[in-house]
Every structure is written in structure tokens, then in C-alpha cells.
Amino acid sequence: MRAFSLLDLSPITTDSDARGALLNSRDLAQHAEQWGYRRFWMAEHHNMTGIASAATAVALGFVAEGTRRIRVAAGGVMLPNHSPLVVAEQFGTLAALYPDRVDLGLGRAPGTDGNTMMALRRDQLADAAERFPQDVQELLHYFEPEKPGQRVRAVPGVGLRVPVWLLGSSLFSAQLAGALGLPFAFASHFAPAMLDRALQVYRDSFRPSAYLDAPYAAAGINVFAADSDERGRYLMTSLEQQFVALRRGTPGPLKPPVEDPDEIASPLERAQIEQALSASAAGSRETVAAFIDGFLERTGVDELIVTGTIFDHRARLESFRIAADILRERADSTGA
């Protein structure tokens, strides 16, 4: 492992609002900067009353302004929702304001439900996701130095070479990232089923490019670290409730944790939770460290992305601090 980073979904809890969630995100980033996290990722989700990062570029700008060194990263922008030029302008603006601190991760899912997707895309063709490879290449073009006779430019953006990642939970983006020679991040924190295969496809299909000489892969895990296994498991029940609500079509603000995990889901839903959230470490420092060691040995990722949807902000800070303590030791042991 060469680096570790943090994904924050800027959770809106039942006792907070979007402003409070974004203020907490910036506070978390300020701590993460001190703890050694390389990147602070935020993701585009729409019509989710429990997530405050829909306007991802704006949220990242707020975080970047409150920090000094940590890289701010979209994890990710759902490119089919936007024109490549608009995304290039937004992240070109961020890169102009915060030089060498901005990363742009791209996904091809809508990041929302069907009705909201239609509201986002308006008159775009129904095959917007199918144009993803062409849109990625168009976006990369806007960050290149201006060419003679070029009529359309991203201003700011042209010539800034903002690092672009591809994100995914299947084999499609893994293969495309390899073919284009881009870094790749897998969403194993909520869709772990194809993790091993996707990493293999990415590494096998990788072609050196102007962006990377060799593959650079990242993967996400959930961490709920606390002073005991029981406490960590308790903290995780907020995410489990959010997962069940989303599957039932009743998403809402993040709920406080509960003592009995079985009370929040049917046996079938419990099985779905265990599968979808299997890349999760919940418990004491020792329990979390053992999970991380096993995950790193299994995947060989260059970068571990840690996330944790925790109701109480102080408990969230403590969980990410414990994770950073563990990960600094692992990074140090590999000479990173």
C-alpha cells in the first residue's frame, strides 16, 4: 500500500441539516490532513435526504478552502449527468484555485433514482451511459494544452492536466481505465462482489499512458473503529439502517445506531446487508487492524480508501483516527 485516503458522504443525520453536514465534512478533512490521509473524496448523489454532497465540486471547494495540503477528490462525478465541458470547467476552476490538490474521479451510474435521473439529464439521449468512454476521452482532452485552431476550451481547465480516475463496481470501468492508462478505484465498500475480478481485469488490460506508467488501483472499505468490538458493531447499525431504507425505497436522514442489529431488517435483508457490506471492519483497533491486513494482502491495492457512515461526528472522528494510526504503520512498513 502506497497511500490511504478517506471517502466522506457528508451524512445528514436526523438531528442535523445540510449545512451542519458540510461543516462536519470540512472539520473531518482538517483532521484527516493531520492524520496522514492523502485524499479526501466526496461523491455525487442526488435526491438523497441523508447526503449533502450532491454539488460535489462546490462541496470540495469548501473543503479545500479549509485545508492546506490534503488532496480533494471527486469520488465521483457521475459523468453521464453532465457535459464533459462543464465538468472540465468546474474541476479546472478548483485546480486553478488549489494547484496540485485536485483529483477527478468519474463514474457512469446516475447516482440516484430513475425520476431524478430524468430531471438531471433532461434532453440527453437515453444512451448517455453508453457514451461514457467517448465522454471520458473528451474530458481528458479539455485538460490538455491548447492545440492550434482549437475552438472549444475549458477555461479554467485547459492545460491543467487534472488527474482523472475511473471509478466502478463492475468490470466495465476497470477495463476502460486499463485501456486508457488511468488510475482505477473500486467501490467495494458497498458492492464488493466483483472486486477481485475487476482488479485483475484492470491490471491485465493496463496500457502505459501519459498519465501513468503502471497500474494504480484503489479500493474502498467501511471502518467502524472504537474502543471495543461491541461499540464498533453498534456504530455500524446506522449504515445498515440506511442500506435497508434505500432498498425499501424510503431513504432519509441517517438514523442513530441501535443496540440490536436484528431489529432493523428481515432475515432476507440481513443477508443482503452482510453481502453488500462484507468489506467492512467494525470493532476494536485489533479487530480493524486484522481486517485491514487481510484486505491488503488479498487485493494488493496501491491505495486504500476508508469510509464510515457514523451518526455521531465525534465517534466518526475517532474511528477515522484509529484507522489512520493503523494505516500509517502499514504504509511505513512498505516504505511509502
Side-chain angles (χ1 to χ4, degrees):
M1 183 188 67
R2 297 164 60 183
F4 55 95
S5 56
L6 188 160
L7 168 64
D8 176 39
L9 295 182
S10 198
I12 303 172
T13 65
T14 53
D15 63 356
S16 71
D17 55 19
R19 182 176 187 275
L22 291 166
L23 287 169
N24 282 342
S25 290
R26 187 167 70 171
D27 181 63
L28 175 58
Q30 290 166 343
H31 284 83
E33 183 171 70
Q34 302 303 316
W35 293 333
Y37 289 94
R38 178 171 292 182
R39 265 172 274 271
F40 190 87
W41 301 85
M42 300 185 83
E44 176 185 345
H45 292 280
H46 298 281
N47 197 27
M48 299 283 189
T49 54
I51 298 175
S53 55
T56 312
V58 179
L60 289 172
F62 179 65
V63 169
E65 185 63 24
T67 52
R68 294 188 301 156
R69 300 180 308 277
I70 195 168
R71 299 185 69 87
V72 295
V77 164
M78 302 298 107
L79 188 54
N81 294 339
H82 315 279
S83 79
L85 177 60
V86 168
V87 176
E89 290 171 339
Q90 291 174 348
F91 282 81
T93 300
L94 286 173
L97 289 169
Y98 309 103
D100 197 31
R101 288 187 58 200
V102 176
D103 294 289
L104 171 56
L106 302 173
R108 69 185 186 108
T112 188
D113 58 90
N115 289 332
T116 309
M117 179 184 72
M118 295 300 296
L120 282 165
R121 297 183 181 180
R122 293 289 179 168
D123 297 327
Q124 291 189 41
L125 298 175
D127 64 348
E130 300 304 315
R131 297 200 312 268
F132 183 69
Q134 292 77 24
D135 285 348
V136 170
Q137 292 178 81
E138 180 182 342
L139 179 51
L140 289 168
H141 167 73
Y142 288 130
F143 289 138
E144 293 297 317
E146 183 175 349
K147 294 177 174 57
Q150 183 174 338
R151 298 180 64 87
V152 179
R153 309 164 193 82
V155 184
V158 62
L160 292 183
R161 289 278 180 91
V162 176
V164 172
W165 295 60
L166 293 192
L167 317 176
S169 57
S170 67
L171 304 184
F172 183 92
S173 290
Q175 190 165 26
L176 181 60
L180 296 178
L182 297 173
F184 173 64
F186 191 85
S188 38
H189 59 292
F190 71 86
M194 301 186 76
L195 168 63
D196 299 295
R197 180 65 180 140
L199 292 175
Q200 189 64 50
V201 165
Y202 170 61
R203 290 163 178 153
D204 288 347
S205 62
F206 184 85
R207 300 176 185 173
S209 68
Y211 312 106
L212 280 178
D213 294 329
Y216 189 94
I221 64 169
N222 300 290
V223 170
F224 304 88
D227 56 7
S228 68
D229 286 351
E230 293 74 19
R231 175 69 175 170
R233 186 69 190 81
Y234 171 74
L235 295 175
M236 187 175 173
T237 61
S238 291
L239 175 61
E240 293 177 337
Q241 290 178 83
Q242 190 180 58
F243 177 89
V244 170
L246 186 62
R247 293 300 186 273
R248 291 175 179 175
T250 58
L254 186 67
K255 296 178 180 179
V258 297
E259 294 290 346
D260 182 6
D262 290 331
E263 75 180 49
I264 64 179
S266 68
L268 175 60
E269 289 169 331
R270 171 58 54 192
Q272 292 173 334
I273 289 172
E274 291 175 358
Q275 191 283 322
L277 303 181
S278 61
S280 300
S284 66
R285 176 191 170 94
E286 293 73 25
T287 297
V288 171
F291 179 91
I292 287 173
D293 287 341
F295 189 87
L296 292 175
E297 182 177 1
R298 167 189 162 192
T299 62
V301 290
D302 302 285
E303 184 164 330
L304 188 64
I305 302 174
V306 180
T307 188
T309 302
I310 295 174
F311 182 83
D312 180 75
H313 183 59
R314 288 170 295 182
R316 187 163 66 132
L317 290 174
E318 178 64 6
S319 178
F320 282 119
R321 185 196 64 77
I322 294 170
D325 287 346
I326 296 167
L327 290 165
R328 279 197 307 273
E329 294 175 359
R330 275 59 182 173
D332 290 344
S333 70
T334 60

